[in-house]
Amino acid sequence: MNKVIKCIWVVETENIHSDGKSGGRGQSFFSTEDKAKSHVEWCMSCADKSDARLMEHDKDGLSAKYMLSNGDTWIIDTKRKALDLD
């Protein structure tokens, strides 16, 4: 019997203060890549509306890095993880 591998998409956000200390981390979980991309787009929209400066992003639209006006760095990263349901 072939084992079916089920996956979940995890969007992680992290704020790193200008002194290098972590300011908090969040995770959101999605059942499809499209839903994860929509969430990343929403996060990026929030950053853009807050006058954050885009430092880098991937061509797939699954991650980005912003410089906030207070000098902090905000990182958005998406990972696909396998779920073990056995």
Side-chain angles (χ1 to χ4, degrees), residues 13-19 21-24 43-56 64-76:
T13 58
E14 182 177 10
N15 188 29
I16 300 176
H17 295 298
S18 55
D19 63 3
K21 294 181 182 175
S22 180
C43 289
M44 291 176 72
S45 175
C46 290
D48 291 338
K49 289 182 182 182
S50 298
D51 294 327
R53 184 172 46 96
L54 180 62
M55 296 171 61
E56 59 186 67
K65 186 175 184 180
Y66 282 90
M67 177 64 67
L68 304 178
S69 60
N70 64 358
D72 291 355
T73 303
W74 192 44
I75 301 169
I76 306 165

Side-chain angles (χ1 to χ4, degrees), residues 6-10 28-36 80 83:
K6 295 188 179 188
C7 295
I8 191 166
W9 293 85
V10 182
S28 300
F29 303 91
F30 301 94
S31 58
T32 66
E33 181 179 10
D34 288 338
K35 290 177 183 179
R80 183 175 180 226
L83 296 175

Side-chain angles (χ1 to χ4, degrees), residues 9-11 33 36-37 40 44 58-64 76-79:
W9 293 85
V10 182
V11 178
E33 181 179 10
K37 279 185 180 181
V40 170
M44 291 176 72
D58 70 341
K59 63 182 170 97
D60 296 328
L62 292 171
S63 66
I76 306 165
D77 189 35
T78 304
K79 297 177 178 147

